[in-house]
PDB file of all heavy atoms in Angstrom:
ATOM      1  N   ARG B1634    -147.567 168.438 -34.684  1.00 98.00           N
ATOM      2  CA  ARG B1634    -148.326 167.756 -33.639  1.00 98.00           C
ATOM      3  C   ARG B1634    -149.559 168.572 -33.283  1.00 98.00           C
ATOM      4  O   ARG B1634    -149.499 169.798 -33.177  1.00 98.00           O
ATOM      5  CB  ARG B1634    -147.462 167.589 -32.380  1.00 98.00           C
ATOM      6  CG  ARG B1634    -146.354 166.553 -32.506  1.00 98.00           C
ATOM      7  CD  ARG B1634    -145.457 166.574 -31.265  1.00 98.00           C
ATOM      8  NE  ARG B1634    -144.600 167.759 -31.304  1.00 98.00           N
ATOM      9  CZ  ARG B1634    -143.308 167.741 -31.651  1.00 98.00           C
ATOM     10  NH1 ARG B1634    -142.707 166.604 -31.928  1.00 98.00           N
ATOM     11  NH2 ARG B1634    -142.615 168.856 -31.699  1.00 98.00           N
ATOM     12  N   THR B1635    -150.663 167.878 -33.072  1.00 98.00           N
ATOM     13  CA  THR B1635    -151.865 168.559 -32.584  1.00 98.00           C
ATOM     14  C   THR B1635    -151.746 168.690 -31.070  1.00 98.00           C
ATOM     15  O   THR B1635    -150.718 168.345 -30.478  1.00 98.00           O
ATOM     16  CB  THR B1635    -153.131 167.755 -32.912  1.00 98.00           C
ATOM     17  OG1 THR B1635    -153.131 166.552 -32.123  1.00 98.00           O
ATOM     18  CG2 THR B1635    -153.188 167.382 -34.391  1.00 98.00           C
ATOM     19  N   SER B1636    -152.812 169.141 -30.435  1.00 98.00           N
ATOM     20  CA  SER B1636    -152.778 169.317 -28.980  1.00 98.00           C
ATOM     21  C   SER B1636    -152.862 167.986 -28.237  1.00 98.00           C
ATOM     22  O   SER B1636    -152.652 167.952 -27.032  1.00 98.00           O
ATOM     23  CB  SER B1636    -153.925 170.231 -28.546  1.00 98.00           C
ATOM     24  OG  SER B1636    -155.168 169.650 -28.888  1.00 98.00           O
ATOM     25  N   ALA B1637    -153.162 166.902 -28.913  1.00 97.00           N
ATOM     26  CA  ALA B1637    -153.275 165.599 -28.239  1.00 97.00           C
ATOM     27  C   ALA B1637    -152.058 164.730 -28.546  1.00 97.00           C
ATOM     28  O   ALA B1637    -151.643 164.640 -29.700  1.00 97.00           O
ATOM     29  CB  ALA B1637    -154.540 164.871 -28.685  1.00 97.00           C
ATOM     30  N   PRO B1638    -151.478 164.085 -27.533  1.00 96.00           N
ATOM     31  CA  PRO B1638    -150.336 163.198 -27.782  1.00 96.00           C
ATOM     32  C   PRO B1638    -150.739 162.088 -28.758  1.00 96.00           C
ATOM     33  O   PRO B1638    -151.859 161.581 -28.680  1.00 96.00           O
ATOM     34  CB  PRO B1638    -150.035 162.598 -26.403  1.00 96.00           C
ATOM     35  CG  PRO B1638    -150.794 163.416 -25.407  1.00 96.00           C
ATOM     36  CD  PRO B1638    -151.911 164.085 -26.132  1.00 96.00           C
ATOM     37  N   GLY B1639    -149.816 161.762 -29.666  1.00 97.00           N
ATOM     38  CA  GLY B1639    -150.098 160.654 -30.586  1.00 97.00           C
ATOM     39  C   GLY B1639    -150.917 161.033 -31.799  1.00 97.00           C
ATOM     40  O   GLY B1639    -151.239 160.172 -32.617  1.00 97.00           O
ATOM     41  N   ILE B1640    -151.280 162.323 -31.943  1.00 98.00           N
ATOM     42  CA  ILE B1640    -152.060 162.746 -33.111  1.00 98.00           C
ATOM     43  C   ILE B1640    -151.384 163.928 -33.805  1.00 98.00           C
ATOM     44  O   ILE B1640    -151.076 164.940 -33.180  1.00 98.00           O
ATOM     45  CB  ILE B1640    -153.514 163.129 -32.733  1.00 98.00           C
ATOM     46  CG1 ILE B1640    -154.184 161.990 -31.965  1.00 98.00           C
ATOM     47  CG2 ILE B1640    -154.315 163.472 -33.990  1.00 98.00           C
ATOM     48  CD1 ILE B1640    -155.644 162.256 -31.588  1.00 98.00           C
ATOM     49  N   TRP B1641    -151.142 163.764 -35.102  1.00 98.00           N
ATOM     50  CA  TRP B1641    -150.542 164.788 -35.943  1.00 98.00           C
ATOM     51  C   TRP B1641    -151.585 165.267 -36.967  1.00 98.00           C
ATOM     52  O   TRP B1641    -152.583 164.578 -37.186  1.00 98.00           O
ATOM     53  CB  TRP B1641    -149.329 164.219 -36.697  1.00 98.00           C
ATOM     54  CG  TRP B1641    -148.107 164.004 -35.860  1.00 98.00           C
ATOM     55  CD1 TRP B1641    -146.984 164.766 -35.845  1.00 98.00           C
ATOM     56  CD2 TRP B1641    -147.862 162.941 -34.907  1.00 98.00           C
ATOM     57  NE1 TRP B1641    -146.054 164.253 -34.958  1.00 98.00           N
ATOM     58  CE2 TRP B1641    -146.565 163.143 -34.364  1.00 98.00           C
ATOM     59  CE3 TRP B1641    -148.610 161.855 -34.460  1.00 98.00           C
ATOM     60  CZ2 TRP B1641    -146.009 162.295 -33.417  1.00 98.00           C
ATOM     61  CZ3 TRP B1641    -148.060 161.007 -33.499  1.00 98.00           C
ATOM     62  CH2 TRP B1641    -146.770 161.234 -32.976  1.00 98.00           C
ATOM     63  N   ALA B1642    -151.338 166.410 -37.604  1.00 98.00           N
ATOM     64  CA  ALA B1642    -152.240 166.857 -38.674  1.00 98.00           C
ATOM     65  C   ALA B1642    -151.419 167.570 -39.740  1.00 98.00           C
ATOM     66  O   ALA B1642    -150.354 168.135 -39.453  1.00 98.00           O
ATOM     67  CB  ALA B1642    -153.336 167.777 -38.138  1.00 98.00           C
ATOM     68  N   ALA B1643    -151.890 167.518 -40.977  1.00 98.00           N
ATOM     69  CA  ALA B1643    -151.158 168.113 -42.102  1.00 98.00           C
ATOM     70  C   ALA B1643    -152.106 168.451 -43.234  1.00 98.00           C
ATOM     71  O   ALA B1643    -153.166 167.836 -43.378  1.00 98.00           O
ATOM     72  CB  ALA B1643    -150.090 167.140 -42.597  1.00 98.00           C
ATOM     73  N   GLY B1644    -151.699 169.430 -44.045  1.00 98.00           N
ATOM     74  CA  GLY B1644    -152.456 169.755 -45.256  1.00 98.00           C
ATOM     75  C   GLY B1644    -153.551 170.792 -45.007  1.00 98.00           C
ATOM     76  O   GLY B1644    -153.476 171.583 -44.072  1.00 98.00           O
ATOM     77  N   ASP B1645    -154.573 170.756 -45.849  1.00 97.00           N
ATOM     78  CA  ASP B1645    -155.605 171.798 -45.820  1.00 97.00           C
ATOM     79  C   ASP B1645    -156.377 171.864 -44.503  1.00 97.00           C
ATOM     80  O   ASP B1645    -157.017 172.874 -44.221  1.00 97.00           O
ATOM     81  CB  ASP B1645    -156.615 171.570 -46.955  1.00 97.00           C
ATOM     82  CG  ASP B1645    -156.034 171.858 -48.325  1.00 97.00           C
ATOM     83  OD1 ASP B1645    -154.886 172.326 -48.391  1.00 97.00           O
ATOM     84  OD2 ASP B1645    -156.733 171.615 -49.325  1.00 97.00           O
ATOM     85  N   CYS B1646    -156.357 170.788 -43.717  1.00 98.00           N
ATOM     86  CA  CYS B1646    -157.109 170.806 -42.452  1.00 98.00           C
ATOM     87  C   CYS B1646    -156.305 171.451 -41.332  1.00 98.00           C
ATOM     88  O   CYS B1646    -156.851 171.771 -40.277  1.00 98.00           O
ATOM     89  CB  CYS B1646    -157.525 169.390 -42.046  1.00 98.00           C
ATOM     90  SG  CYS B1646    -156.149 168.297 -41.594  1.00 98.00           S
ATOM     91  N   ALA B1647    -154.996 171.631 -41.535  1.00 98.00           N
ATOM     92  CA  ALA B1647    -154.102 172.025 -40.441  1.00 98.00           C
ATOM     93  C   ALA B1647    -153.860 173.528 -40.423  1.00 98.00           C
ATOM     94  O   ALA B1647    -153.796 174.185 -41.468  1.00 98.00           O
ATOM     95  CB  ALA B1647    -152.770 171.296 -40.572  1.00 98.00           C
ATOM     96  N   GLU B1648    -153.707 174.076 -39.237  1.00 98.00           N
ATOM     97  CA  GLU B1648    -153.362 175.488 -39.096  1.00 98.00           C
ATOM     98  C   GLU B1648    -152.065 175.602 -38.308  1.00 98.00           C
ATOM     99  O   GLU B1648    -152.011 175.336 -37.120  1.00 98.00           O
ATOM    100  CB  GLU B1648    -154.490 176.251 -38.383  1.00 98.00           C
ATOM    101  CG  GLU B1648    -154.173 177.735 -38.269  1.00 98.00           C
ATOM    102  CD  GLU B1648    -155.288 178.547 -37.619  1.00 98.00           C
ATOM    103  OE1 GLU B1648    -156.320 177.953 -37.236  1.00 98.00           O
ATOM    104  OE2 GLU B1648    -155.113 179.758 -37.469  1.00 98.00           O
ATOM    105  N   HIS B1649    -151.023 176.024 -39.014  1.00 97.00           N
ATOM    106  CA  HIS B1649    -149.691 176.220 -38.445  1.00 97.00           C
ATOM    107  C   HIS B1649    -149.583 177.681 -38.004  1.00 97.00           C
ATOM    108  O   HIS B1649    -150.407 178.510 -38.409  1.00 97.00           O
ATOM    109  CB  HIS B1649    -148.666 175.878 -39.541  1.00 97.00           C
ATOM    110  CG  HIS B1649    -147.240 175.971 -39.124  1.00 97.00           C
ATOM    111  ND1 HIS B1649    -146.383 176.925 -39.627  1.00 97.00           N
ATOM    112  CD2 HIS B1649    -146.513 175.232 -38.265  1.00 97.00           C
ATOM    113  CE1 HIS B1649    -145.176 176.763 -39.092  1.00 97.00           C
ATOM    114  NE2 HIS B1649    -145.225 175.734 -38.261  1.00 97.00           N
ATOM    115  N   ARG B1650    -148.561 178.018 -37.214  1.00 97.00           N
ATOM    116  CA  ARG B1650    -148.406 179.426 -36.796  1.00 97.00           C
ATOM    117  C   ARG B1650    -148.247 180.360 -37.991  1.00 97.00           C
ATOM    118  O   ARG B1650    -148.519 181.558 -37.897  1.00 97.00           O
ATOM    119  CB  ARG B1650    -147.222 179.571 -35.827  1.00 97.00           C
ATOM    120  CG  ARG B1650    -145.874 179.212 -36.437  1.00 97.00           C
ATOM    121  CD  ARG B1650    -144.730 179.323 -35.444  1.00 97.00           C
ATOM    122  NE  ARG B1650    -143.544 178.638 -35.920  1.00 97.00           N
ATOM    123  CZ  ARG B1650    -142.682 179.118 -36.831  1.00 97.00           C
ATOM    124  NH1 ARG B1650    -142.883 180.311 -37.350  1.00 97.00           N
ATOM    125  NH2 ARG B1650    -141.644 178.403 -37.220  1.00 97.00           N
ATOM    126  N   THR B1651    -147.794 179.831 -39.138  1.00 94.00           N
ATOM    127  CA  THR B1651    -147.670 180.663 -40.339  1.00 94.00           C
ATOM    128  C   THR B1651    -148.987 180.732 -41.113  1.00 94.00           C
ATOM    129  O   THR B1651    -149.035 181.325 -42.188  1.00 94.00           O
ATOM    130  CB  THR B1651    -146.564 180.141 -41.272  1.00 94.00           C
ATOM    131  OG1 THR B1651    -146.844 178.763 -41.593  1.00 94.00           O
ATOM    132  CG2 THR B1651    -145.197 180.220 -40.621  1.00 94.00           C
ATOM    133  N   GLY B1652    -150.036 180.112 -40.613  1.00 94.00           N
ATOM    134  CA  GLY B1652    -151.355 180.278 -41.219  1.00 94.00           C
ATOM    135  C   GLY B1652    -151.883 179.029 -41.909  1.00 94.00           C
ATOM    136  O   GLY B1652    -151.295 177.950 -41.834  1.00 94.00           O
ATOM    137  N   LEU B1653    -153.017 179.231 -42.576  1.00 94.00           N
ATOM    138  CA  LEU B1653    -153.611 178.190 -43.405  1.00 94.00           C
ATOM    139  C   LEU B1653    -153.006 178.332 -44.794  1.00 94.00           C
ATOM    140  O   LEU B1653    -152.671 179.434 -45.209  1.00 94.00           O
ATOM    141  CB  LEU B1653    -155.126 178.387 -43.514  1.00 94.00           C
ATOM    142  CG  LEU B1653    -155.989 178.282 -42.252  1.00 94.00           C
ATOM    143  CD1 LEU B1653    -157.395 178.799 -42.571  1.00 94.00           C
ATOM    144  CD2 LEU B1653    -156.049 176.857 -41.744  1.00 94.00           C
ATOM    145  N   TYR B1654    -152.873 177.248 -45.516  1.00 90.00           N
ATOM    146  CA  TYR B1654    -152.350 177.333 -46.871  1.00 90.00           C
ATOM    147  C   TYR B1654    -153.412 177.022 -47.919  1.00 90.00           C
ATOM    148  O   TYR B1654    -153.777 177.855 -48.717  1.00 90.00           O
ATOM    149  CB  TYR B1654    -151.115 176.446 -47.033  1.00 90.00           C
ATOM    150  CG  TYR B1654    -149.920 177.033 -46.331  1.00 90.00           C
ATOM    151  CD1 TYR B1654    -149.678 176.756 -44.988  1.00 90.00           C
ATOM    152  CD2 TYR B1654    -149.074 177.904 -46.984  1.00 90.00           C
ATOM    153  CE1 TYR B1654    -148.600 177.324 -44.327  1.00 90.00           C
ATOM    154  CE2 TYR B1654    -147.993 178.474 -46.341  1.00 90.00           C
ATOM    155  CZ  TYR B1654    -147.760 178.180 -45.011  1.00 90.00           C
ATOM    156  OH  TYR B1654    -146.703 178.753 -44.371  1.00 90.00           O
ATOM    157  N   GLY B1655    -153.903 175.781 -47.907  1.00 88.00           N
ATOM    158  CA  GLY B1655    -154.957 175.467 -48.872  1.00 88.00           C
ATOM    159  C   GLY B1655    -154.443 175.318 -50.290  1.00 88.00           C
ATOM    160  O   GLY B1655    -155.159 175.622 -51.229  1.00 88.00           O
ATOM    161  N   PHE B1656    -153.196 174.902 -50.472  1.00 86.00           N
ATOM    162  CA  PHE B1656    -152.765 174.565 -51.817  1.00 86.00           C
ATOM    163  C   PHE B1656    -151.799 173.385 -51.824  1.00 86.00           C
ATOM    164  O   PHE B1656    -151.249 172.992 -50.802  1.00 86.00           O
ATOM    165  CB  PHE B1656    -152.225 175.773 -52.591  1.00 86.00           C
ATOM    166  CG  PHE B1656    -151.101 176.506 -51.931  1.00 86.00           C
ATOM    167  CD1 PHE B1656    -149.803 176.051 -52.047  1.00 86.00           C
ATOM    168  CD2 PHE B1656    -151.345 177.657 -51.199  1.00 86.00           C
ATOM    169  CE1 PHE B1656    -148.761 176.725 -51.459  1.00 86.00           C
ATOM    170  CE2 PHE B1656    -150.297 178.334 -50.602  1.00 86.00           C
ATOM    171  CZ  PHE B1656    -149.014 177.869 -50.724  1.00 86.00           C
ATOM    172  N   TRP B1657    -151.640 172.834 -53.008  1.00 89.00           N
ATOM    173  CA  TRP B1657    -151.018 171.534 -53.218  1.00 89.00           C
ATOM    174  C   TRP B1657    -149.624 171.400 -52.616  1.00 89.00           C
ATOM    175  O   TRP B1657    -149.353 170.476 -51.854  1.00 89.00           O
ATOM    176  CB  TRP B1657    -150.975 171.271 -54.728  1.00 89.00           C
ATOM    177  CG  TRP B1657    -150.441 169.929 -55.107  1.00 89.00           C
ATOM    178  CD1 TRP B1657    -149.157 169.621 -55.463  1.00 89.00           C
ATOM    179  CD2 TRP B1657    -151.184 168.708 -55.171  1.00 89.00           C
ATOM    180  NE1 TRP B1657    -149.052 168.290 -55.753  1.00 89.00           N
ATOM    181  CE2 TRP B1657    -150.274 167.707 -55.587  1.00 89.00           C
ATOM    182  CE3 TRP B1657    -152.523 168.371 -54.928  1.00 89.00           C
ATOM    183  CZ2 TRP B1657    -150.672 166.384 -55.760  1.00 89.00           C
ATOM    184  CZ3 TRP B1657    -152.905 167.056 -55.103  1.00 89.00           C
ATOM    185  CH2 TRP B1657    -151.988 166.079 -55.507  1.00 89.00           C
ATOM    186  N   SER B1658    -148.717 172.320 -52.975  1.00 88.00           N
ATOM    187  CA  SER B1658    -147.323 172.114 -52.565  1.00 88.00           C
ATOM    188  C   SER B1658    -147.187 172.203 -51.052  1.00 88.00           C
ATOM    189  O   SER B1658    -146.382 171.469 -50.445  1.00 88.00           O
ATOM    190  CB  SER B1658    -146.396 173.117 -53.253  1.00 88.00           C
ATOM    191  OG  SER B1658    -146.807 174.434 -52.985  1.00 88.00           O
ATOM    192  N   ALA B1659    -147.991 173.052 -50.405  1.00 93.00           N
ATOM    193  CA  ALA B1659    -147.925 173.147 -48.940  1.00 93.00           C
ATOM    194  C   ALA B1659    -148.452 171.856 -48.316  1.00 93.00           C
ATOM    195  O   ALA B1659    -147.928 171.391 -47.296  1.00 93.00           O
ATOM    196  CB  ALA B1659    -148.732 174.349 -48.450  1.00 93.00           C
ATOM    197  N   GLY B1660    -149.472 171.265 -48.924  1.00 95.00           N
ATOM    198  CA  GLY B1660    -149.993 169.987 -48.428  1.00 95.00           C
ATOM    199  C   GLY B1660    -148.918 168.914 -48.458  1.00 95.00           C
ATOM    200  O   GLY B1660    -148.755 168.137 -47.506  1.00 95.00           O
ATOM    201  N   GLY B1661    -148.152 168.892 -49.554  1.00 94.00           N
ATOM    202  CA  GLY B1661    -147.056 167.932 -49.664  1.00 94.00           C
ATOM    203  C   GLY B1661    -145.969 168.196 -48.643  1.00 94.00           C
ATOM    204  O   GLY B1661    -145.493 167.278 -47.964  1.00 94.00           O
ATOM    205  N   ASP B1662    -145.578 169.465 -48.497  1.00 94.00           N
ATOM    206  CA  ASP B1662    -144.551 169.839 -47.508  1.00 94.00           C
ATOM    207  C   ASP B1662    -144.969 169.381 -46.112  1.00 94.00           C
ATOM    208  O   ASP B1662    -144.183 168.781 -45.370  1.00 94.00           O
ATOM    209  CB  ASP B1662    -144.387 171.365 -47.427  1.00 94.00           C
ATOM    210  CG  ASP B1662    -143.775 171.988 -48.674  1.00 94.00           C
ATOM    211  OD1 ASP B1662    -143.197 171.242 -49.484  1.00 94.00           O
ATOM    212  OD2 ASP B1662    -143.883 173.216 -48.821  1.00 94.00           O
ATOM    213  N   GLN B1663    -146.199 169.704 -45.747  1.00 97.00           N
ATOM    214  CA  GLN B1663    -146.675 169.380 -44.393  1.00 97.00           C
ATOM    215  C   GLN B1663    -146.825 167.880 -44.198  1.00 97.00           C
ATOM    216  O   GLN B1663    -146.533 167.357 -43.118  1.00 97.00           O
ATOM    217  CB  GLN B1663    -148.005 170.080 -44.108  1.00 97.00           C
ATOM    218  CG  GLN B1663    -147.859 171.589 -44.015  1.00 97.00           C
ATOM    219  CD  GLN B1663    -149.135 172.261 -43.556  1.00 97.00           C
ATOM    220  OE1 GLN B1663    -150.126 171.617 -43.237  1.00 97.00           O
ATOM    221  NE2 GLN B1663    -149.111 173.586 -43.523  1.00 97.00           N
ATOM    222  N   GLY B1664    -147.305 167.193 -45.237  1.00 98.00           N
ATOM    223  CA  GLY B1664    -147.443 165.734 -45.135  1.00 98.00           C
ATOM    224  C   GLY B1664    -146.105 165.072 -44.874  1.00 98.00           C
ATOM    225  O   GLY B1664    -145.966 164.228 -43.976  1.00 98.00           O
ATOM    226  N   LYS B1665    -145.079 165.482 -45.648  1.00 97.00           N
ATOM    227  CA  LYS B1665    -143.737 164.917 -45.461  1.00 97.00           C
ATOM    228  C   LYS B1665    -143.247 165.175 -44.043  1.00 97.00           C
ATOM    229  O   LYS B1665    -142.695 164.286 -43.381  1.00 97.00           O
ATOM    230  CB  LYS B1665    -142.746 165.550 -46.443  1.00 97.00           C
ATOM    231  CG  LYS B1665    -142.852 165.005 -47.849  1.00 97.00           C
ATOM    232  CD  LYS B1665    -141.946 165.790 -48.810  1.00 97.00           C
ATOM    233  CE  LYS B1665    -142.363 165.485 -50.251  1.00 97.00           C
ATOM    234  NZ  LYS B1665    -141.964 166.513 -51.188  1.00 97.00           N
ATOM    235  N   ALA B1666    -143.417 166.423 -43.590  1.00 98.00           N
ATOM    236  CA  ALA B1666    -142.923 166.799 -42.263  1.00 98.00           C
ATOM    237  C   ALA B1666    -143.674 166.047 -41.166  1.00 98.00           C
ATOM    238  O   ALA B1666    -143.073 165.535 -40.213  1.00 98.00           O
ATOM    239  CB  ALA B1666    -143.058 168.314 -42.069  1.00 98.00           C
ATOM    240  N   ALA B1667    -144.992 165.951 -41.315  1.00 98.00           N
ATOM    241  CA  ALA B1667    -145.801 165.300 -40.278  1.00 98.00           C
ATOM    242  C   ALA B1667    -145.494 163.806 -40.202  1.00 98.00           C
ATOM    243  O   ALA B1667    -145.416 163.226 -39.113  1.00 98.00           O
ATOM    244  CB  ALA B1667    -147.286 165.527 -40.547  1.00 98.00           C
ATOM    245  N   GLY B1668    -145.317 163.176 -41.366  1.00 98.00           N
ATOM    246  CA  GLY B1668    -145.009 161.746 -41.384  1.00 98.00           C
ATOM    247  C   GLY B1668    -143.679 161.474 -40.702  1.00 98.00           C
ATOM    248  O   GLY B1668    -143.542 160.548 -39.891  1.00 98.00           O
ATOM    249  N   ALA B1669    -142.674 162.305 -41.025  1.00 98.00           N
ATOM    250  CA  ALA B1669    -141.359 162.135 -40.402  1.00 98.00           C
ATOM    251  C   ALA B1669    -141.455 162.337 -38.897  1.00 98.00           C
ATOM    252  O   ALA B1669    -140.870 161.582 -38.107  1.00 98.00           O
ATOM    253  CB  ALA B1669    -140.371 163.134 -41.013  1.00 98.00           C
ATOM    254  N   SER B1670    -142.220 163.339 -38.496  1.00 98.00           N
ATOM    255  CA  SER B1670    -142.380 163.648 -37.083  1.00 98.00           C
ATOM    256  C   SER B1670    -143.055 162.484 -36.349  1.00 98.00           C
ATOM    257  O   SER B1670    -142.613 162.055 -35.273  1.00 98.00           O
ATOM    258  CB  SER B1670    -143.204 164.934 -36.954  1.00 98.00           C
ATOM    259  OG  SER B1670    -143.442 165.273 -35.616  1.00 98.00           O
ATOM    260  N   LEU B1671    -144.109 161.943 -36.955  1.00 98.00           N
ATOM    261  CA  LEU B1671    -144.808 160.798 -36.358  1.00 98.00           C
ATOM    262  C   LEU B1671    -143.851 159.612 -36.189  1.00 98.00           C
ATOM    263  O   LEU B1671    -143.916 158.880 -35.195  1.00 98.00           O
ATOM    264  CB  LEU B1671    -146.007 160.411 -37.216  1.00 98.00           C
ATOM    265  CG  LEU B1671    -146.917 159.277 -36.745  1.00 98.00           C
ATOM    266  CD1 LEU B1671    -148.337 159.478 -37.285  1.00 98.00           C
ATOM    267  CD2 LEU B1671    -146.418 157.891 -37.158  1.00 98.00           C
ATOM    268  N   ALA B1672    -142.944 159.443 -37.168  1.00 97.00           N
ATOM    269  CA  ALA B1672    -142.022 158.311 -37.120  1.00 97.00           C
ATOM    270  C   ALA B1672    -140.826 158.581 -36.203  1.00 97.00           C
ATOM    271  O   ALA B1672    -139.896 157.785 -36.145  1.00 97.00           O
ATOM    272  CB  ALA B1672    -141.545 157.972 -38.533  1.00 97.00           C
ATOM    273  N   GLY B1673    -140.835 159.720 -35.525  1.00 96.00           N
ATOM    274  CA  GLY B1673    -139.817 159.962 -34.509  1.00 96.00           C
ATOM    275  C   GLY B1673    -138.671 160.855 -34.911  1.00 96.00           C
ATOM    276  O   GLY B1673    -137.759 161.090 -34.121  1.00 96.00           O
ATOM    277  N   ALA B1674    -138.687 161.381 -36.136  1.00 97.00           N
ATOM    278  CA  ALA B1674    -137.593 162.247 -36.580  1.00 97.00           C
ATOM    279  C   ALA B1674    -137.800 163.662 -36.033  1.00 97.00           C
ATOM    280  O   ALA B1674    -138.931 164.093 -35.869  1.00 97.00           O
ATOM    281  CB  ALA B1674    -137.540 162.282 -38.104  1.00 97.00           C
TER     282      ALA B1674
END
Side-chain angles (χ1 to χ4, degrees):
Chain B
R1634 288 174 286 258
T1635 69
S1636 61
I1640 306 182
W1641 286 255
D1645 289 355
C1646 67
E1648 182 178 1
H1649 182 247
R1650 63 182 164 79
T1651 56
L1653 296 168
Y1654 287 88
F1656 56 82
W1657 184 264
S1658 57
D1662 292 344
Q1663 292 188 4
K1665 282 174 196 157
S1670 178
L1671 183 152

